[in-house]
């Protein structure tokens, strides 16, 4: 084959291969995109909350319900997306836990790729023999575990079983969640574990120091806030930065993590360490290295919204947020539990959020959570 002819064939093949590659990559791109597209957008129905339900809300709800039933550990499931409690009747799948969950939190952010997540709380039945509504409609102080998983620029599972917070990050390369959030900076953590192996067992907690520099609230509702909330927001906006994602999981995750030390080196106060032992030295870390901490709030407000029933012909007004927007059993309680486990506080402004007892499974409450001193400042406006 003459060189020119050969070059020509080679050239054509090059073009052909490029075209094939291009077509294949467009196909893959389109396929992926359409696959995502299938998951994005609205279902066209609304849920018991009066919200437009997203396709991913439904998908997430089905996935979690199937997994929780298959676990054989649960007797009742309470989901944001289901009007009623799901009772697990089959004795071979029935367990002694109640799981309250928000399968997909921050749904309004799905289609624009902003962080969303899943929130869950776990209660144990009072009495194995006769579980009933008293096992579901109860104080947040009865929680035995809670957690959230945030799907953002990385996937992070934050969970507590009552012994502080533990943070696990998904390593997509191996498909496993790795413990990544001890409460001291990684470098110092490893260095210290060389000298003080016990440290590895005492700092698997994320701690929220007492005061911070960020406040997080939807100021678009300002005109609906009650006076104490307005006064508090006015008092912090001159000294703190504002951050608000609109996904509770993302806003709380920032609150919890920025409460953690984010300095990538530190020196252990050896004198304290030797005198007072490990715990004091670790506490000293927090005090000496506290940088950020946030307060996140979704207070009750007087905002009234039009809500249409699923047949869309009977719009009716109801005061959505006179009790706050966030749902007690599967948003407020789990996040309040986690923030308290991290050394922070969660309050309605008038009482600890965990001390509320909801009136029904989708009951709502206003809530402030984060740095203990910042939450105390907020509460002072309610007492004034
Ligand atoms: P969900 O998407 O599960 O219905 O929850 C949305 C909640 C919560 O994620 C967030 O903090 C809050 O709604 C945001 O409300 P606004 O858009 O009114 O600020
Ligand atoms: Mn919702
Ligand atoms: Mn939610
Ligand atoms: Mn949700």
């Amino acid at each position: 084959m003459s060189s020119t002819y050969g070059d020509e064939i080679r050239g054509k093949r090059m073009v052909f291969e490029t075209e094939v590659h291009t077509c294949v990559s467009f196909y893959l791109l389109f396929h992926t995109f359409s696959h995502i597209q299938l998951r994005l957008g609205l279902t066209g129905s609304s849920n018991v909350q009066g919200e437009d339900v997203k396709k991913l809300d439904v998908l997430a709800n089905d996935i979690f319900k199937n997994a929780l039933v298959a676990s054989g550990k649960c007797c009742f499931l309470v989901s944001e997306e289901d009007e009623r409690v799901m009772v697990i009747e089959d004795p071979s799948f029935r367990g002694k836990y109640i799981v309250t969950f928000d399968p997909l939190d921050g749904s309004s952010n799905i289609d624009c790729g902003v962080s969303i997540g899943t929130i869950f709380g776990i209660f144990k039945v009072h009495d194995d023999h006769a579980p009933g509504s008293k096992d579901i409609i109860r104080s947040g102080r009865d929680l035995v575990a809670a957690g959230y998983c945030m799907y953002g620029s990385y996937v992070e599972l934050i969970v507590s079983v009552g012994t502080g917070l533990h943070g696990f990050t998904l390593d997509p390369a191996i498909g496993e969640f790795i413990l990544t959030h001890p409460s001291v900076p990684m470098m110092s953590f490893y260095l210290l574990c060389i000298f003080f192996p016990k440290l590895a067992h005492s700092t698997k907690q994320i701690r929220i120091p007492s005061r911070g520099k960020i406040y997080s609230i939807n100021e678009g509702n300002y005109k609906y806030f009650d006076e104490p909330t307005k006064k508090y927001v006015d008092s912090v906006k001159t000294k703190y930065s504002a951050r608000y994602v609109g996904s509770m999981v993302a806003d709380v995750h920032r609150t919890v993590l920025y409460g953690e030390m984010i300095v990538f080196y530190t020196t252990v106060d050896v004198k304290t360490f030797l005198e007072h032992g490990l715990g004091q030295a670790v506490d000293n870390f927090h005090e000496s290295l506290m940088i950020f901490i946030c307060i996140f709030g979704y207070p009750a407000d007087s905002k009234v919204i039009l809500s249409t029933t699923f047949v869309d012909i009977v719009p009716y007004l109801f005061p959505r947020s006179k009790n706050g927007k966030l749902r007690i059993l599967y948003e407020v309680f789990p996040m309040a539990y986690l923030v308290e486990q991290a050394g922070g506080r969660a309050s309605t402004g008038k009482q600890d959020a965990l001390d509320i007892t909801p009136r029904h499974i989708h009951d709502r409450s206003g809530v402030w959570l984060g740095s203990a001193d910042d939450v105390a400042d907020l509460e002072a406006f309610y007492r004034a």
Side-chain angles (χ1 to χ4, degrees):
M1 186 185 302
S2 76
S3 58
T4 45
Y5 181 69
D7 289 349
E8 198 184 315
I9 287 294
R10 257 190 299 281
K12 278 210 171 68
R13 197 173 64 195
M14 277 289 284
V15 168
F16 176 69
E17 279 171 355
T18 315
E19 277 161 359
V20 167
H21 279 298
T22 313
C23 295
V24 169
S25 43
F26 265 116
Y27 167 73
L28 286 177
L29 194 66
F30 176 72
H31 176 72
T32 314
F33 189 67
S34 61
H35 179 71
I36 295 173
Q37 275 299 354
L38 288 175
R39 303 285 187 245
L40 295 185
L42 296 170
T43 58
S45 63
S46 59
N47 61 14
V48 64
Q49 320 287 342
E51 301 165 335
D52 294 330
V53 178
K54 295 287 181 79
K55 291 173 191 167
L56 270 186
D57 280 323
V58 174
L59 182 67
N61 196 36
D62 293 345
I63 291 171
F64 284 110
K65 283 196 294 189
N66 293 339
L68 288 166
V69 171
S71 74
K73 301 289 183 205
C74 309
C75 51
F76 298 127
L77 301 181
V78 176
S79 164
E80 179 208 352
E81 300 304 332
D82 292 338
E83 184 165 358
R84 301 189 187 295
V85 176
M86 180 176 178
V87 181
I88 295 169
E89 308 282 4
D90 181 339
S92 56
F93 283 102
R94 195 171 170 78
K96 51 189 167 186
Y97 292 98
I98 297 98
V99 180
T100 64
F101 64 105
D102 176 356
L104 210 55
D105 174 69
S107 305
S108 60
N109 285 318
I110 294 173
D111 296 0
C112 62
V114 170
S115 298
I116 53 179
T118 299
I119 308 171
F120 62 91
I122 302 176
F123 294 98
K124 193 172 179 182
V125 289
H126 291 297
D127 167 359
D128 293 16
H129 304 299
S133 59
K134 67 182 182 324
D135 296 298
I136 302 167
I137 302 296
R138 60 202 286 191
S139 159
R141 294 289 174 203
D142 290 352
L143 277 170
V144 294
Y148 63 78
C149 195
M150 186 194 71
Y151 316 119
S153 51
Y154 60 100
V155 178
E156 172 92 3
L157 173 66
I158 297 280
V159 67
S160 177
V161 291
T163 58
L165 289 199
H166 307 275
F168 301 84
T169 305
L170 177 67
D171 179 343
I174 58 175
E176 293 290 345
F177 281 90
I178 312 292
L179 175 68
T180 49
H181 277 92
S183 67
V184 289
M186 203 58 77
M187 183 54 72
S188 52
F189 179 61
Y190 287 134
L191 284 177
L192 288 165
C193 288
I194 296 166
F195 302 107
F196 310 110
K198 255 181 62 182
L199 190 66
H201 302 288
S202 73
T203 57
K204 280 199 180 64
Q205 298 178 359
I206 296 174
R207 301 296 294 166
I208 295 187
S210 58
R211 190 170 284 287
K213 295 185 168 33
I214 297 175
Y215 74 102
S216 178
I217 190 170
N218 179 350
E219 288 199 59
N221 297 329
Y222 184 88
K223 57 183 176 298
Y224 304 109
F225 290 157
D226 60 19
E227 282 312 307
T229 300
K230 283 182 180 171
K231 287 186 181 135
Y232 177 73
V233 171
D234 293 344
S235 73
V236 291
K237 65 175 27 176
T238 53
K239 60 180 181 175
Y240 286 1
S241 301
R243 294 285 184 278
Y244 190 74
V245 178
S247 287
M248 183 182 201
V249 172
D251 284 316
V252 172
H253 192 56
R254 182 197 55 246
T255 301
V256 163
L257 279 204
Y258 280 1
E260 186 189 24
M261 293 173 288
I262 56 175
V263 176
F264 293 104
Y265 66 88
T266 179
T267 53
V268 177
D269 172 348
V270 182
K271 181 170 149 308
T272 309
F273 176 75
L274 295 177
E275 280 167 13
H276 302 290
L278 200 51
Q280 181 65 38
V282 172
D283 286 347
N284 284 356
F285 273 13
H286 301 158
E287 290 316 314
S288 58
L289 294 168
M290 178 268 289
I291 302 212
F292 281 108
I293 188 55
C294 311
I295 182 166
F296 165 81
Y298 206 109
D301 61 45
S302 57
K303 189 172 186 179
V304 176
I305 58 168
L306 259 185
S307 173
T308 54
T309 61
F310 59 83
V311 291
D312 270 344
I313 53 172
V314 185
Y316 56 92
L317 282 175
F318 70 93
R320 172 200 74 180
S321 312
K322 69 176 173 47
N323 296 322
K325 173 178 182 183
L326 298 176
R327 284 55 61 108
I328 295 170
L329 276 179
Y330 40 82
E331 289 175 318
V332 175
F333 276 175
M335 292 308 205
Y337 178 89
L338 292 168
V339 165
E340 283 203 1
Q341 283 294 318
R345 285 214 40 232
S347 169
T348 62
K350 296 169 186 160
Q351 68 175 114
D352 280 358
L354 285 177
D355 291 336
I356 310 170
T357 298
R359 293 158 303 171
H360 56 80
I361 61 169
H362 297 299
D363 202 357
R364 300 166 186 253
S365 170
V367 66
W368 292 85
L369 42 84
S371 315
D373 292 357
D374 287 303
V375 174
D377 289 354
L378 175 274
E379 290 174 322
F381 284 98
Y382 276 94
R383 283 195 303 273

